[in-house]
Amino acid sequence: MKLGLQLGYWGAQPPTGVGELVAAAEEAGFDAIFTAEAWGSDAFTPLAWWGRETSRLRLGTSIVQMSGRAPTSIAMHALTLDHLTGGRVVLGMGVSGPQVVEGWYGQPFAKPLARTREVVDIIRQVLAREAPVSNAGPHYPLPYAGEGAVGLGKPLKPIVHPLRSDIPIWLGAEGPKNVAQTAEIADGWIPIFYTPRSAGMYQPWLDEGFGRPGARRTRADFEIAATCHLQVVSGPEEKQLVLDALKPTVSLYMGGMGAKEANFHKQVFERMGYADLADEVQRLYLSGEKDRATALIPDELVDDMHIVGTEGQVRERVAQWEETGVTTLMLSLRSPAEVRQIAALLR
């Protein structure tokens, strides 16, 4: 199992000390760094910036929101960055949710699985550069011939010859149909809130995708990149402090990251067996009682989602994640010293 450094997306201001974290990850033997985006910072620009300061680390997006750019634009980003960094890009993408897609990007959210399939196909056409890119699908027609078209569009090939004709595409997916499709058409899967305890739930969905005619990968060469916070602590008291500090983020995703009618993250927790808890956390969170919502998050859930413990406990827990099929563990770490500590501990 490889280690990745999860840089995430920015808060109100750009984070400090990222350069030192990235340098430590490169020096310590981490496999990759990953960035994300919500509705503030984008995922590609930090990779271009930090990619300039590295020579070995893979550079992954975890994740790029598909509705934020045309499929050909996503392909252009990946193609360009792959050239600049010597072939180190991993293109992680996802559909996001209706609040962001329709509220921030002004795009329709309907048919997310069909849209995903079209996006992946178009990007692969661009990178293969075997023929002018076209798409007959209803979501991203190329050339466009709909309302307002002047009728002069024509299929095009990218001017730049891609460095790699087949950049790895990983998909963020949560529900059964989306996970199955990911196993069918992608090179890897970026689950959210994946845990050793819940891993068994996903196996039939993955198997369905791998078993479809024309499936791109098998379990043997399919990547699973799971994210968690990892921290070595001295004992139970310090561990409790860390778990408590992680609970606000859990309550945000469970109760506040999405509309009441369509919070896909909440549905993940429901599938994990926390349906009643998720309903109450959402009710409190959306009514403005965030502290009360956070107070309901149980220690056992946070402990399952993350790796927090003494050195021996961390080694044991990491082995449990690897046994479930995780090929890359994307870690949230706080300092260069912590990066070096974890690399030495798990080497």
Side-chain angles (χ1 to χ4, degrees), residues 6-10 33-51 59-65 69 74 77 81 89-93 105:
Q6 177 60 271
L7 300 175
Y9 52 80
W10 298 357
I33 60 173
F34 295 87
T35 57
E37 60 187 24
W39 50 93
S41 61
D42 81 282
F44 284 115
T45 306
L47 288 182
W49 185 265
W50 301 121
L59 308 168
T61 55
S62 172
I63 59 174
V64 162
Q65 297 167 330
R69 307 161 183 85
I74 297 174
H77 281 290
L81 186 58
V89 169
V90 176
L91 180 57
M93 302 187 295
Y105 294 121

Side-chain angles (χ1 to χ4, degrees), residues 173-180 189 191-209 219 224 264-275 301 304-305 324-325:
E174 298 177 70
K177 294 180 180 179
N178 203 354
V179 171
W189 173 41
I192 190 168
F193 313 135
Y194 183 97
T195 75
R197 185 179 299 174
S198 66
M201 172 177 67
Y202 297 105
Q203 304 314 312
W205 311 346
L206 292 167
D207 286 338
E208 179 187 338
R219 280 190 179 274
I224 298 178
F264 302 122
H265 304 316
K266 175 175 177 283
Q267 292 173 11
V268 176
F269 290 111
E270 291 171 351
R271 296 186 191 102
M272 291 168 66
Y274 293 95
L301 172 58
D304 189 33
M305 292 172 61
T324 69

Side-chain angles (χ1 to χ4, degrees), residues 4-305:
L5 179 64
Q6 177 60 271
L7 300 175
Y9 52 80
W10 298 357
Q13 297 295 326
T16 59
V18 176
E20 291 80 2
L21 275 176
V22 171
E26 169 109 337
E27 179 183 350
F30 273 54
D31 175 71
I33 60 173
F34 295 87
T35 57
E37 60 187 24
W39 50 93
S41 61
D42 81 282
F44 284 115
T45 306
L47 288 182
W49 185 265
W50 301 121
R52 180 68 180 84
E53 304 299 320
T54 61
S55 61
R56 185 190 53 76
L57 286 167
R58 288 199 293 175
L59 308 168
T61 55
S62 172
I63 59 174
V64 162
Q65 297 167 330
M66 293 181 190
S67 295
R69 307 161 183 85
T72 46
S73 177
I74 297 174
M76 289 166 64
H77 281 290
L79 181 160
T80 304
L81 186 58
D82 207 48
H83 266 293
L84 291 174
T85 60
R88 292 188 280 141
V89 169
V90 176
L91 180 57
M93 302 187 295
V95 297
S96 188
Q99 280 193 323
V100 174
V101 171
E102 298 184 357
W104 182 249
Y105 294 121
Q107 299 295 318
F109 183 76
K111 307 291 185 181
L113 269 71
R115 286 190 293 111
T116 298
R117 190 176 288 271
E118 287 189 28
V119 170
V120 170
D121 179 68
I122 291 169
I123 291 173
R124 290 218 168 100
Q125 287 188 58
V126 173
L127 295 174
R129 202 179 181 273
E130 294 173 346
V133 178
S134 63
N135 182 54
H139 303 289
Y140 303 98
L142 292 173
Y144 177 73
E147 183 179 355
V150 298
L152 299 178
K154 57 181 277 188
L156 299 169
K157 291 169 69 174
I159 297 170
V160 178
H161 292 233
L163 179 64
R164 292 186 293 167
S165 62
D166 201 10
I167 291 172
I169 295 177
W170 298 357
L171 295 177
E174 298 177 70
K177 294 180 180 179
N178 203 354
V179 171
Q181 178 173 270
T182 296
E184 176 194 357
I185 69 173
D187 302 296
W189 173 41
I190 306 173
I192 190 168
F193 313 135
Y194 183 97
T195 75
R197 185 179 299 174
S198 66
M201 172 177 67
Y202 297 105
Q203 304 314 312
W205 311 346
L206 292 167
D207 286 338
E208 179 187 338
F210 292 135
R212 291 177 180 174
R216 182 175 173 84
R217 299 283 180 181
T218 67
R219 280 190 179 274
D221 60 359
F222 186 77
E223 297 255 21
I224 298 178
T227 294
C228 73
H229 178 75
L230 189 153
Q231 189 167 339
V232 176
V233 297
S234 57
E237 291 185 3
E238 186 180 1
K239 178 175 180 175
Q240 187 64 56
L241 293 174
V242 175
L243 296 181
D244 289 343
L246 292 167
K247 289 179 181 180
T249 300
V250 179
S251 66
L252 165 64
Y253 277 84
M254 184 183 290
M257 190 65 82
K260 185 178 187 300
E261 302 80 8
N263 181 340
F264 302 122
H265 304 316
K266 175 175 177 283
Q267 292 173 11
V268 176
F269 290 111
E270 291 171 351
R271 296 186 191 102
M272 291 168 66
Y274 293 95
D276 292 341
L277 171 68
D279 285 342
E280 183 62 10
V281 168
Q282 185 185 67
R283 185 188 70 79
L284 291 169
Y285 208 98
L286 295 181
S287 66
E289 299 182 82
K290 297 179 182 179
D291 290 342
R292 287 186 62 195
T294 298
L296 294 179
I297 304 298
D299 291 346
E300 66 173 19
L301 172 58
V302 185
D303 195 27
D304 189 33
M305 292 172 61

Side-chain angles (χ1 to χ4, degrees), residues 332-346:
S332 166
L333 300 173
R334 303 168 300 167
S335 70
E338 202 168 45
V339 170
R340 290 188 287 269
Q341 176 194 27
I342 297 307
L345 179 64
L346 300 180

